[in-house]
Amino acid sequence: AQSVTQLGSHVSVSEGALVLLRCNYSSSVPPYLFWYVQYPNQGLQLLLKYTSAATLVKGINGFEAEFKKSETSFHLTKPSAHMSDAAEYFCAVTDGGSGGSNYKLTFGKGTLLTVNP
Amino acid sequence: NAGVTQTPKFQVLKTGQSMTLQCAQDMNHEYMSWYRQDPGMGLRLIHYSVGAGITDQGEVPNGYNVSRSTTEDFPLRLLSAAPSQTSVYFCASSRSLAGAFNEQFFGPGTRLTVL
């Protein structure tokens, strides 16, 4: 069974500072990994995804994440935070199994990012 | 394209009442799913479908029924609502081509309160 652990339910940074949101996964097969963002009172939007093509993945809004198999991690970073980045961020994993199982996303519990002026 | 739409946006029920949350997508996606979101719990999969006529249970299926008669629609039914079903419900869809790494598109959510 696969699982995702997001370290830190709440991260607070100053505008212009580095954003680092941590995600560790557990999977018995090579995983597909995703970061989603949820702005207040909205649905989830895909930021980026890892599908084994490249270990450093670039997403929208200046975010990127690096897949590190040795550390079973997929941390999300952004060099300089903007006020508009304030949202909740979810890491998710799915395996490459056959049939319906390969569509089942397992989400972490989320990290709320606050950006201070 | 409207993407994934959900109705209603808000609903208040009394314990024991039944209702159906509607979900529709106009992207011809084969895969559709329902999640519930609770504070500090992330999103948990309730039911999913890989195509019309095919449904399966997710992580938290108890108290919910689904059916998939068309590619476009995937309604979620609460037969006898309980306070524990107070949550925000999200519907999502994706293409089925080579599966797992296809982006899932989420609807705006339905906020349900059961008194």
Side-chain angles (χ1 to χ4, degrees), chain A residues 32 34 36 38 43-44 46 49 51 90 94-95 100 102-105 108-109, chain B residues 31 35 37 40 42-43 45 48 50 90 96 99-101 103-104 106-107 111:
Chain A
Y32 297 100
F34 306 81
Y36 282 85
Q38 184 181 31
L44 277 72
L46 182 69
K49 60 185 179 185
T51 59
F90 293 93
T94 186
D95 65 29
N102 59 355
Y103 303 101
K104 290 162 59 175
L105 282 173
K109 294 184 177 181
Chain B
Y31 178 76
Y35 295 86
Q37 183 180 26
L43 279 78
L45 183 64
Y48 67 96
V50 297
F90 288 99
S96 66
F101 52 83
E103 175 183 357
Q104 291 200 22
F106 284 80
R111 187 175 296 273

PDB file of all heavy atoms in Angstrom, chain A residues 32 34 36 38 43-44 46 49 51 90 94-95 100 102-105 108-109, chain B residues 31 35 37 40 42-43 45 48 50 90 96 99-101 103-104 106-107 111:
ATOM      1  N   TYR A  32       4.039   7.368  -9.161  1.00  0.00           N
ATOM      2  CA  TYR A  32       3.811   8.634  -9.844  1.00  0.00           C
ATOM      3  C   TYR A  32       3.424   9.628  -8.755  1.00  0.00           C
ATOM      4  O   TYR A  32       2.567   9.332  -7.920  1.00  0.00           O
ATOM      5  CB  TYR A  32       2.692   8.500 -10.859  1.00  0.00           C
ATOM      6  CG  TYR A  32       3.021   7.528 -11.969  1.00  0.00           C
ATOM      7  CD1 TYR A  32       2.531   6.227 -11.941  1.00  0.00           C
ATOM      8  CD2 TYR A  32       3.813   7.907 -13.051  1.00  0.00           C
ATOM      9  CE1 TYR A  32       2.825   5.324 -12.949  1.00  0.00           C
ATOM     10  CE2 TYR A  32       4.112   7.016 -14.063  1.00  0.00           C
ATOM     11  CZ  TYR A  32       3.619   5.727 -14.006  1.00  0.00           C
ATOM     12  OH  TYR A  32       3.921   4.836 -14.996  1.00  0.00           O
ATOM     13  N   PHE A  34       2.529  13.692  -7.387  1.00  0.00           N
ATOM     14  CA  PHE A  34       1.861  14.922  -7.794  1.00  0.00           C
ATOM     15  C   PHE A  34       1.885  15.925  -6.642  1.00  0.00           C
ATOM     16  O   PHE A  34       1.881  15.550  -5.469  1.00  0.00           O
ATOM     17  CB  PHE A  34       0.388  14.647  -8.136  1.00  0.00           C
ATOM     18  CG  PHE A  34       0.175  13.564  -9.157  1.00  0.00           C
ATOM     19  CD1 PHE A  34       0.208  12.231  -8.782  1.00  0.00           C
ATOM     20  CD2 PHE A  34      -0.078  13.884 -10.469  1.00  0.00           C
ATOM     21  CE1 PHE A  34       0.004  11.219  -9.716  1.00  0.00           C
ATOM     22  CE2 PHE A  34      -0.290  12.879 -11.412  1.00  0.00           C
ATOM     23  CZ  PHE A  34      -0.250  11.555 -11.031  1.00  0.00           C
ATOM     24  N   TYR A  36      -0.631  19.175  -5.721  1.00  0.00           N
ATOM     25  CA  TYR A  36      -1.822  19.961  -6.035  1.00  0.00           C
ATOM     26  C   TYR A  36      -1.875  21.158  -5.099  1.00  0.00           C
ATOM     27  O   TYR A  36      -1.423  21.098  -3.947  1.00  0.00           O
ATOM     28  CB  TYR A  36      -3.090  19.134  -5.844  1.00  0.00           C
ATOM     29  CG  TYR A  36      -3.395  18.165  -6.957  1.00  0.00           C
ATOM     30  CD1 TYR A  36      -2.826  16.891  -6.971  1.00  0.00           C
ATOM     31  CD2 TYR A  36      -4.255  18.511  -7.990  1.00  0.00           C
ATOM     32  CE1 TYR A  36      -3.121  15.996  -7.989  1.00  0.00           C
ATOM     33  CE2 TYR A  36      -4.546  17.623  -9.013  1.00  0.00           C
ATOM     34  CZ  TYR A  36      -3.976  16.367  -9.005  1.00  0.00           C
ATOM     35  OH  TYR A  36      -4.266  15.487 -10.016  1.00  0.00           O
ATOM     36  N   GLN A  38      -4.629  24.105  -3.481  1.00  0.00           N
ATOM     37  CA  GLN A  38      -6.035  24.460  -3.262  1.00  0.00           C
ATOM     38  C   GLN A  38      -6.104  25.857  -2.680  1.00  0.00           C
ATOM     39  O   GLN A  38      -5.690  26.082  -1.546  1.00  0.00           O
ATOM     40  CB  GLN A  38      -6.704  23.453  -2.325  1.00  0.00           C
ATOM     41  CG  GLN A  38      -8.189  23.722  -2.140  1.00  0.00           C
ATOM     42  CD  GLN A  38      -8.850  22.740  -1.194  1.00  0.00           C
ATOM     43  OE1 GLN A  38      -8.239  22.238  -0.261  1.00  0.00           O
ATOM     44  NE2 GLN A  38     -10.109  22.443  -1.442  1.00  0.00           N
ATOM     45  N   GLY A  43     -11.550  24.199  -5.739  1.00  0.00           N
ATOM     46  CA  GLY A  43     -11.108  22.826  -5.924  1.00  0.00           C
ATOM     47  C   GLY A  43      -9.599  22.752  -6.029  1.00  0.00           C
ATOM     48  O   GLY A  43      -8.902  23.747  -5.835  1.00  0.00           O
ATOM     49  N   LEU A  44      -9.087  21.573  -6.325  1.00  0.00           N
ATOM     50  CA  LEU A  44      -7.653  21.370  -6.421  1.00  0.00           C
ATOM     51  C   LEU A  44      -7.175  21.579  -7.849  1.00  0.00           C
ATOM     52  O   LEU A  44      -7.852  21.220  -8.810  1.00  0.00           O
ATOM     53  CB  LEU A  44      -7.287  19.945  -5.977  1.00  0.00           C
ATOM     54  CG  LEU A  44      -7.145  19.723  -4.473  1.00  0.00           C
ATOM     55  CD1 LEU A  44      -8.500  19.761  -3.789  1.00  0.00           C
ATOM     56  CD2 LEU A  44      -6.447  18.392  -4.209  1.00  0.00           C
ATOM     57  N   LEU A  46      -3.652  21.085 -10.354  1.00  0.00           N
ATOM     58  CA  LEU A  46      -2.349  20.432 -10.448  1.00  0.00           C
ATOM     59  C   LEU A  46      -1.229  21.460 -10.590  1.00  0.00           C
ATOM     60  O   LEU A  46      -1.273  22.337 -11.450  1.00  0.00           O
ATOM     61  CB  LEU A  46      -2.331  19.490 -11.653  1.00  0.00           C
ATOM     62  CG  LEU A  46      -1.042  18.696 -11.842  1.00  0.00           C
ATOM     63  CD1 LEU A  46      -0.897  17.667 -10.725  1.00  0.00           C
ATOM     64  CD2 LEU A  46      -1.027  18.011 -13.204  1.00  0.00           C
ATOM     65  N   LYS A  49       3.826  17.219 -11.759  1.00  0.00           N
ATOM     66  CA  LYS A  49       3.750  15.773 -11.580  1.00  0.00           C
ATOM     67  C   LYS A  49       5.065  15.124 -11.983  1.00  0.00           C
ATOM     68  O   LYS A  49       5.773  15.612 -12.866  1.00  0.00           O
ATOM     69  CB  LYS A  49       2.605  15.194 -12.410  1.00  0.00           C
ATOM     70  CG  LYS A  49       2.735  15.431 -13.918  1.00  0.00           C
ATOM     71  CD  LYS A  49       1.495  14.931 -14.653  1.00  0.00           C
ATOM     72  CE  LYS A  49       1.624  15.205 -16.150  1.00  0.00           C
ATOM     73  NZ  LYS A  49       0.372  14.832 -16.886  1.00  0.00           N
ATOM     74  N   THR A  51       6.616  11.621 -13.412  1.00  0.00           N
ATOM     75  CA  THR A  51       6.220  10.373 -14.061  1.00  0.00           C
ATOM     76  C   THR A  51       7.423   9.606 -14.568  1.00  0.00           C
ATOM     77  O   THR A  51       7.317   8.849 -15.524  1.00  0.00           O
ATOM     78  CB  THR A  51       5.276  10.659 -15.241  1.00  0.00           C
ATOM     79  OG1 THR A  51       5.961  11.504 -16.179  1.00  0.00           O
ATOM     80  CG2 THR A  51       4.022  11.345 -14.776  1.00  0.00           C
ATOM     81  N   PHE A  90      -1.106  19.949  -1.432  1.00  0.00           N
ATOM     82  CA  PHE A  90      -1.254  18.526  -1.198  1.00  0.00           C
ATOM     83  C   PHE A  90      -0.299  17.741  -2.084  1.00  0.00           C
ATOM     84  O   PHE A  90      -0.245  17.958  -3.299  1.00  0.00           O
ATOM     85  CB  PHE A  90      -2.685  18.065  -1.494  1.00  0.00           C
ATOM     86  CG  PHE A  90      -3.713  18.612  -0.557  1.00  0.00           C
ATOM     87  CD1 PHE A  90      -4.402  19.778  -0.868  1.00  0.00           C
ATOM     88  CD2 PHE A  90      -4.002  17.965   0.631  1.00  0.00           C
ATOM     89  CE1 PHE A  90      -5.354  20.292  -0.008  1.00  0.00           C
ATOM     90  CE2 PHE A  90      -4.955  18.471   1.492  1.00  0.00           C
ATOM     91  CZ  PHE A  90      -5.631  19.634   1.185  1.00  0.00           C
ATOM     92  N   THR A  94       0.245   7.833  -6.764  1.00  0.00           N
ATOM     93  CA  THR A  94      -0.485   6.701  -7.300  1.00  0.00           C
ATOM     94  C   THR A  94       0.533   5.735  -7.873  1.00  0.00           C
ATOM     95  O   THR A  94       1.619   6.162  -8.270  1.00  0.00           O
ATOM     96  CB  THR A  94      -1.508   7.123  -8.364  1.00  0.00           C
ATOM     97  OG1 THR A  94      -2.282   5.987  -8.743  1.00  0.00           O
ATOM     98  CG2 THR A  94      -0.836   7.693  -9.598  1.00  0.00           C
ATOM     99  N   ASP A  95       0.208   4.452  -7.896  1.00  0.00           N
ATOM    100  CA  ASP A  95       1.165   3.507  -8.435  1.00  0.00           C
ATOM    101  C   ASP A  95       0.847   3.239  -9.905  1.00  0.00           C
ATOM    102  O   ASP A  95      -0.094   3.764 -10.467  1.00  0.00           O
ATOM    103  CB  ASP A  95       1.192   2.228  -7.596  1.00  0.00           C
ATOM    104  CG  ASP A  95      -0.123   1.462  -7.637  1.00  0.00           C
ATOM    105  OD1 ASP A  95      -0.851   1.546  -8.646  1.00  0.00           O
ATOM    106  OD2 ASP A  95      -0.418   0.788  -6.640  1.00  0.00           O
ATOM    107  N   GLY A 100      -8.112  -0.248 -12.476  1.00  0.00           N
ATOM    108  CA  GLY A 100      -8.521   0.996 -11.828  1.00  0.00           C
ATOM    109  C   GLY A 100      -7.566   1.478 -10.772  1.00  0.00           C
ATOM    110  O   GLY A 100      -7.588   2.644 -10.397  1.00  0.00           O
ATOM    111  N   ASN A 102      -4.510   2.180 -10.781  1.00  0.00           N
ATOM    112  CA  ASN A 102      -3.512   3.185 -11.132  1.00  0.00           C
ATOM    113  C   ASN A 102      -4.095   4.581 -11.247  1.00  0.00           C
ATOM    114  O   ASN A 102      -3.381   5.520 -11.537  1.00  0.00           O
ATOM    115  CB  ASN A 102      -2.779   2.787 -12.412  1.00  0.00           C
ATOM    116  CG  ASN A 102      -3.723   2.615 -13.581  1.00  0.00           C
ATOM    117  OD1 ASN A 102      -4.927   2.696 -13.425  1.00  0.00           O
ATOM    118  ND2 ASN A 102      -3.185   2.381 -14.752  1.00  0.00           N
ATOM    119  N   TYR A 103      -5.379   4.737 -11.021  1.00  0.00           N
ATOM    120  CA  TYR A 103      -5.963   6.065 -11.004  1.00  0.00           C
ATOM    121  C   TYR A 103      -6.227   6.551  -9.587  1.00  0.00           C
ATOM    122  O   TYR A 103      -6.644   7.674  -9.385  1.00  0.00           O
ATOM    123  CB  TYR A 103      -7.295   6.071 -11.760  1.00  0.00           C
ATOM    124  CG  TYR A 103      -7.177   5.600 -13.177  1.00  0.00           C
ATOM    125  CD1 TYR A 103      -7.538   4.307 -13.519  1.00  0.00           C
ATOM    126  CD2 TYR A 103      -6.688   6.433 -14.158  1.00  0.00           C
ATOM    127  CE1 TYR A 103      -7.429   3.869 -14.822  1.00  0.00           C
ATOM    128  CE2 TYR A 103      -6.581   5.997 -15.462  1.00  0.00           C
ATOM    129  CZ  TYR A 103      -6.954   4.714 -15.792  1.00  0.00           C
ATOM    130  OH  TYR A 103      -6.834   4.282 -17.075  1.00  0.00           O
ATOM    131  N   LYS A 104      -6.035   5.713  -8.614  1.00  0.00           N
ATOM    132  CA  LYS A 104      -6.413   6.057  -7.257  1.00  0.00           C
ATOM    133  C   LYS A 104      -5.308   6.866  -6.613  1.00  0.00           C
ATOM    134  O   LYS A 104      -4.229   6.369  -6.328  1.00  0.00           O
ATOM    135  CB  LYS A 104      -6.686   4.781  -6.459  1.00  0.00           C
ATOM    136  CG  LYS A 104      -7.950   4.072  -6.906  1.00  0.00           C
ATOM    137  CD  LYS A 104      -8.004   2.625  -6.454  1.00  0.00           C
ATOM    138  CE  LYS A 104      -7.937   2.445  -4.991  1.00  0.00           C
ATOM    139  NZ  LYS A 104      -8.122   1.023  -4.603  1.00  0.00           N
ATOM    140  N   LEU A 105      -5.604   8.140  -6.391  1.00  0.00           N
ATOM    141  CA  LEU A 105      -4.652   9.025  -5.744  1.00  0.00           C
ATOM    142  C   LEU A 105      -4.749   8.871  -4.233  1.00  0.00           C
ATOM    143  O   LEU A 105      -5.838   8.899  -3.670  1.00  0.00           O
ATOM    144  CB  LEU A 105      -4.941  10.480  -6.103  1.00  0.00           C
ATOM    145  CG  LEU A 105      -4.485  10.967  -7.479  1.00  0.00           C
ATOM    146  CD1 LEU A 105      -5.013  12.370  -7.723  1.00  0.00           C
ATOM    147  CD2 LEU A 105      -2.982  10.942  -7.591  1.00  0.00           C
ATOM    148  N   GLY A 108      -1.595  13.236   0.820  1.00  0.00           N
ATOM    149  CA  GLY A 108      -1.133  13.613   2.137  1.00  0.00           C
ATOM    150  C   GLY A 108      -2.179  14.486   2.806  1.00  0.00           C
ATOM    151  O   GLY A 108      -3.186  14.850   2.203  1.00  0.00           O
ATOM    152  N   LYS A 109      -1.926  14.856   4.073  1.00  0.00           N
ATOM    153  CA  LYS A 109      -2.912  15.604   4.832  1.00  0.00           C
ATOM    154  C   LYS A 109      -2.877  17.102   4.538  1.00  0.00           C
ATOM    155  O   LYS A 109      -3.720  17.844   5.051  1.00  0.00           O
ATOM    156  CB  LYS A 109      -2.728  15.333   6.318  1.00  0.00           C
ATOM    157  CG  LYS A 109      -3.026  13.885   6.678  1.00  0.00           C
ATOM    158  CD  LYS A 109      -2.937  13.631   8.168  1.00  0.00           C
ATOM    159  CE  LYS A 109      -3.310  12.175   8.456  1.00  0.00           C
ATOM    160  NZ  LYS A 109      -3.267  11.874   9.908  1.00  0.00           N
TER     161      LYS A 109
ATOM    162  N   TYR B  31     -12.293   8.086 -16.548  1.00  0.00           N
ATOM    163  CA  TYR B  31     -12.142   7.881 -15.112  1.00  0.00           C
ATOM    164  C   TYR B  31     -12.789   9.024 -14.341  1.00  0.00           C
ATOM    165  O   TYR B  31     -12.536  10.200 -14.630  1.00  0.00           O
ATOM    166  CB  TYR B  31     -10.665   7.795 -14.737  1.00  0.00           C
ATOM    167  CG  TYR B  31     -10.428   7.636 -13.264  1.00  0.00           C
ATOM    168  CD1 TYR B  31     -10.634   6.419 -12.633  1.00  0.00           C
ATOM    169  CD2 TYR B  31     -10.021   8.715 -12.477  1.00  0.00           C
ATOM    170  CE1 TYR B  31     -10.429   6.269 -11.269  1.00  0.00           C
ATOM    171  CE2 TYR B  31      -9.816   8.573 -11.122  1.00  0.00           C
ATOM    172  CZ  TYR B  31     -10.020   7.353 -10.515  1.00  0.00           C
ATOM    173  OH  TYR B  31      -9.823   7.208  -9.170  1.00  0.00           O
ATOM    174  N   TYR B  35     -14.114  12.254  -3.785  1.00  0.00           N
ATOM    175  CA  TYR B  35     -13.299  12.364  -2.588  1.00  0.00           C
ATOM    176  C   TYR B  35     -14.073  13.173  -1.550  1.00  0.00           C
ATOM    177  O   TYR B  35     -14.900  14.017  -1.889  1.00  0.00           O
ATOM    178  CB  TYR B  35     -11.985  13.102  -2.861  1.00  0.00           C
ATOM    179  CG  TYR B  35     -11.041  12.413  -3.804  1.00  0.00           C
ATOM    180  CD1 TYR B  35     -11.147  12.591  -5.176  1.00  0.00           C
ATOM    181  CD2 TYR B  35     -10.024  11.601  -3.330  1.00  0.00           C
ATOM    182  CE1 TYR B  35     -10.266  11.971  -6.055  1.00  0.00           C
ATOM    183  CE2 TYR B  35      -9.134  10.978  -4.194  1.00  0.00           C
ATOM    184  CZ  TYR B  35      -9.268  11.173  -5.552  1.00  0.00           C
ATOM    185  OH  TYR B  35      -8.390  10.562  -6.413  1.00  0.00           O
ATOM    186  N   GLN B  37     -13.133  15.733   1.793  1.00  0.00           N
ATOM    187  CA  GLN B  37     -12.040  16.463   2.419  1.00  0.00           C
ATOM    188  C   GLN B  37     -12.463  16.900   3.806  1.00  0.00           C
ATOM    189  O   GLN B  37     -13.464  17.618   3.967  1.00  0.00           O
ATOM    190  CB  GLN B  37     -11.639  17.688   1.598  1.00  0.00           C
ATOM    191  CG  GLN B  37     -10.454  18.448   2.186  1.00  0.00           C
ATOM    192  CD  GLN B  37     -10.057  19.655   1.361  1.00  0.00           C
ATOM    193  OE1 GLN B  37     -10.868  20.234   0.655  1.00  0.00           O
ATOM    194  NE2 GLN B  37      -8.782  20.043   1.454  1.00  0.00           N
ATOM    195  N   GLY B  40      -7.426  18.448   8.326  1.00  0.00           N
ATOM    196  CA  GLY B  40      -6.330  17.642   8.835  1.00  0.00           C
ATOM    197  C   GLY B  40      -6.262  16.223   8.299  1.00  0.00           C
ATOM    198  O   GLY B  40      -5.413  15.444   8.724  1.00  0.00           O
ATOM    199  N   GLY B  42      -6.650  15.548   4.724  1.00  0.00           N
ATOM    200  CA  GLY B  42      -6.413  15.510   3.286  1.00  0.00           C
ATOM    201  C   GLY B  42      -7.678  15.094   2.551  1.00  0.00           C
ATOM    202  O   GLY B  42      -8.796  15.286   3.042  1.00  0.00           O
ATOM    203  N   LEU B  43      -7.507  14.513   1.385  1.00  0.00           N
ATOM    204  CA  LEU B  43      -8.637  14.005   0.612  1.00  0.00           C
ATOM    205  C   LEU B  43      -8.615  12.483   0.654  1.00  0.00           C
ATOM    206  O   LEU B  43      -7.567  11.867   0.472  1.00  0.00           O
ATOM    207  CB  LEU B  43      -8.560  14.475  -0.842  1.00  0.00           C
ATOM    208  CG  LEU B  43      -9.044  15.881  -1.125  1.00  0.00           C
ATOM    209  CD1 LEU B  43      -8.006  16.907  -0.732  1.00  0.00           C
ATOM    210  CD2 LEU B  43      -9.430  16.028  -2.595  1.00  0.00           C
ATOM    211  N   LEU B  45     -10.492   8.945  -0.861  1.00  0.00           N
ATOM    212  CA  LEU B  45     -11.271   8.436  -1.979  1.00  0.00           C
ATOM    213  C   LEU B  45     -12.479   7.657  -1.486  1.00  0.00           C
ATOM    214  O   LEU B  45     -12.360   6.747  -0.667  1.00  0.00           O
ATOM    215  CB  LEU B  45     -10.384   7.536  -2.846  1.00  0.00           C
ATOM    216  CG  LEU B  45     -11.009   6.954  -4.105  1.00  0.00           C
ATOM    217  CD1 LEU B  45     -11.369   8.066  -5.089  1.00  0.00           C
ATOM    218  CD2 LEU B  45     -10.040   5.965  -4.751  1.00  0.00           C
ATOM    219  N   TYR B  48     -14.870   5.229  -7.127  1.00  0.00           N
ATOM    220  CA  TYR B  48     -14.353   5.637  -8.416  1.00  0.00           C
ATOM    221  C   TYR B  48     -14.938   4.772  -9.515  1.00  0.00           C
ATOM    222  O   TYR B  48     -15.531   3.717  -9.259  1.00  0.00           O
ATOM    223  CB  TYR B  48     -12.817   5.602  -8.444  1.00  0.00           C
ATOM    224  CG  TYR B  48     -12.206   4.228  -8.335  1.00  0.00           C
ATOM    225  CD1 TYR B  48     -11.819   3.517  -9.465  1.00  0.00           C
ATOM    226  CD2 TYR B  48     -11.996   3.655  -7.083  1.00  0.00           C
ATOM    227  CE1 TYR B  48     -11.245   2.262  -9.355  1.00  0.00           C
ATOM    228  CE2 TYR B  48     -11.430   2.396  -6.969  1.00  0.00           C
ATOM    229  CZ  TYR B  48     -11.054   1.709  -8.100  1.00  0.00           C
ATOM    230  OH  TYR B  48     -10.492   0.461  -7.992  1.00  0.00           O
ATOM    231  N   VAL B  50     -14.054   3.561 -13.735  1.00  0.00           N
ATOM    232  CA  VAL B  50     -13.121   3.586 -14.872  1.00  0.00           C
ATOM    233  C   VAL B  50     -13.870   3.625 -16.204  1.00  0.00           C
ATOM    234  O   VAL B  50     -13.245   3.578 -17.260  1.00  0.00           O
ATOM    235  CB  VAL B  50     -12.142   2.400 -14.833  1.00  0.00           C
ATOM    236  CG1 VAL B  50     -11.271   2.478 -13.583  1.00  0.00           C
ATOM    237  CG2 VAL B  50     -12.876   1.078 -14.920  1.00  0.00           C
ATOM    238  N   PHE B  90     -15.493  16.423  -3.275  1.00  0.00           N
ATOM    239  CA  PHE B  90     -14.932  16.787  -4.569  1.00  0.00           C
ATOM    240  C   PHE B  90     -15.074  15.632  -5.544  1.00  0.00           C
ATOM    241  O   PHE B  90     -14.808  14.474  -5.212  1.00  0.00           O
ATOM    242  CB  PHE B  90     -13.454  17.152  -4.447  1.00  0.00           C
ATOM    243  CG  PHE B  90     -13.210  18.457  -3.767  1.00  0.00           C
ATOM    244  CD1 PHE B  90     -12.859  18.490  -2.422  1.00  0.00           C
ATOM    245  CD2 PHE B  90     -13.324  19.649  -4.450  1.00  0.00           C
ATOM    246  CE1 PHE B  90     -12.635  19.699  -1.782  1.00  0.00           C
ATOM    247  CE2 PHE B  90     -13.103  20.864  -3.817  1.00  0.00           C
ATOM    248  CZ  PHE B  90     -12.764  20.879  -2.481  1.00  0.00           C
ATOM    249  N   SER B  96      -8.060   8.107 -19.537  1.00  0.00           N
ATOM    250  CA  SER B  96      -7.617   6.781 -19.127  1.00  0.00           C
ATOM    251  C   SER B  96      -6.406   6.306 -19.923  1.00  0.00           C
ATOM    252  O   SER B  96      -5.894   5.244 -19.673  1.00  0.00           O
ATOM    253  CB  SER B  96      -8.748   5.772 -19.325  1.00  0.00           C
ATOM    254  OG  SER B  96      -9.040   5.633 -20.705  1.00  0.00           O
ATOM    255  N   GLY B  99      -3.111   5.492 -18.185  1.00  0.00           N
ATOM    256  CA  GLY B  99      -3.428   5.652 -16.787  1.00  0.00           C
ATOM    257  C   GLY B  99      -2.746   6.641 -15.903  1.00  0.00           C
ATOM    258  O   GLY B  99      -2.981   7.817 -15.974  1.00  0.00           O
ATOM    259  N   ALA B 100      -1.867   6.141 -15.052  1.00  0.00           N
ATOM    260  CA  ALA B 100      -1.649   6.755 -13.755  1.00  0.00           C
ATOM    261  C   ALA B 100      -1.166   8.180 -13.788  1.00  0.00           C
ATOM    262  O   ALA B 100      -1.403   8.922 -12.859  1.00  0.00           O
ATOM    263  CB  ALA B 100      -0.676   5.904 -12.959  1.00  0.00           C
ATOM    264  N   PHE B 101      -0.452   8.594 -14.841  1.00  0.00           N
ATOM    265  CA  PHE B 101       0.125   9.922 -14.758  1.00  0.00           C
ATOM    266  C   PHE B 101      -0.721  10.974 -15.441  1.00  0.00           C
ATOM    267  O   PHE B 101      -0.279  12.075 -15.674  1.00  0.00           O
ATOM    268  CB  PHE B 101       1.533   9.920 -15.347  1.00  0.00           C
ATOM    269  CG  PHE B 101       1.602   9.321 -16.727  1.00  0.00           C
ATOM    270  CD1 PHE B 101       1.301  10.066 -17.852  1.00  0.00           C
ATOM    271  CD2 PHE B 101       1.942   7.996 -16.885  1.00  0.00           C
ATOM    272  CE1 PHE B 101       1.368   9.506 -19.112  1.00  0.00           C
ATOM    273  CE2 PHE B 101       2.017   7.427 -18.143  1.00  0.00           C
ATOM    274  CZ  PHE B 101       1.730   8.177 -19.259  1.00  0.00           C
ATOM    275  N   GLU B 103      -3.388  13.811 -15.476  1.00  0.00           N
ATOM    276  CA  GLU B 103      -3.880  14.777 -14.493  1.00  0.00           C
ATOM    277  C   GLU B 103      -5.340  14.531 -14.173  1.00  0.00           C
ATOM    278  O   GLU B 103      -6.158  14.305 -15.068  1.00  0.00           O
ATOM    279  CB  GLU B 103      -3.716  16.192 -15.029  1.00  0.00           C
ATOM    280  CG  GLU B 103      -4.318  17.269 -14.138  1.00  0.00           C
ATOM    281  CD  GLU B 103      -4.189  18.645 -14.746  1.00  0.00           C
ATOM    282  OE1 GLU B 103      -3.587  18.759 -15.832  1.00  0.00           O
ATOM    283  OE2 GLU B 103      -4.686  19.608 -14.144  1.00  0.00           O
ATOM    284  N   GLN B 104      -5.677  14.575 -12.905  1.00  0.00           N
ATOM    285  CA  GLN B 104      -7.068  14.532 -12.494  1.00  0.00           C
ATOM    286  C   GLN B 104      -7.560  15.967 -12.348  1.00  0.00           C
ATOM    287  O   GLN B 104      -6.930  16.790 -11.702  1.00  0.00           O
ATOM    288  CB  GLN B 104      -7.232  13.760 -11.191  1.00  0.00           C
ATOM    289  CG  GLN B 104      -6.970  12.271 -11.368  1.00  0.00           C
ATOM    290  CD  GLN B 104      -7.561  11.423 -10.277  1.00  0.00           C
ATOM    291  OE1 GLN B 104      -8.489  11.824  -9.584  1.00  0.00           O
ATOM    292  NE2 GLN B 104      -7.033  10.219 -10.111  1.00  0.00           N
ATOM    293  N   PHE B 106     -10.362  18.517 -10.965  1.00  0.00           N
ATOM    294  CA  PHE B 106     -11.294  18.551  -9.836  1.00  0.00           C
ATOM    295  C   PHE B 106     -12.395  19.568 -10.054  1.00  0.00           C
ATOM    296  O   PHE B 106     -12.174  20.645 -10.628  1.00  0.00           O
ATOM    297  CB  PHE B 106     -10.537  18.889  -8.548  1.00  0.00           C
ATOM    298  CG  PHE B 106      -9.752  17.739  -8.003  1.00  0.00           C
ATOM    299  CD1 PHE B 106      -8.518  17.406  -8.522  1.00  0.00           C
ATOM    300  CD2 PHE B 106     -10.261  16.975  -6.963  1.00  0.00           C
ATOM    301  CE1 PHE B 106      -7.790  16.338  -8.031  1.00  0.00           C
ATOM    302  CE2 PHE B 106      -9.542  15.898  -6.455  1.00  0.00           C
ATOM    303  CZ  PHE B 106      -8.307  15.583  -6.995  1.00  0.00           C
ATOM    304  N   GLY B 107     -13.567  19.224  -9.557  1.00  0.00           N
ATOM    305  CA  GLY B 107     -14.664  20.168  -9.521  1.00  0.00           C
ATOM    306  C   GLY B 107     -14.498  21.143  -8.366  1.00  0.00           C
ATOM    307  O   GLY B 107     -13.581  21.003  -7.560  1.00  0.00           O
ATOM    308  N   ARG B 111     -20.133  21.599  -0.310  1.00  0.00           N
ATOM    309  CA  ARG B 111     -19.970  21.651   1.146  1.00  0.00           C
ATOM    310  C   ARG B 111     -21.255  21.157   1.786  1.00  0.00           C
ATOM    311  O   ARG B 111     -22.301  21.787   1.649  1.00  0.00           O
ATOM    312  CB  ARG B 111     -19.648  23.071   1.604  1.00  0.00           C
ATOM    313  CG  ARG B 111     -19.290  23.187   3.080  1.00  0.00           C
ATOM    314  CD  ARG B 111     -18.856  24.615   3.418  1.00  0.00           C
ATOM    315  NE  ARG B 111     -17.640  24.988   2.710  1.00  0.00           N
ATOM    316  CZ  ARG B 111     -16.419  24.761   3.147  1.00  0.00           C
ATOM    317  NH1 ARG B 111     -16.233  24.134   4.310  1.00  0.00           N
ATOM    318  NH2 ARG B 111     -15.377  25.151   2.455  1.00  0.00           N
TER     319      ARG B 111
END
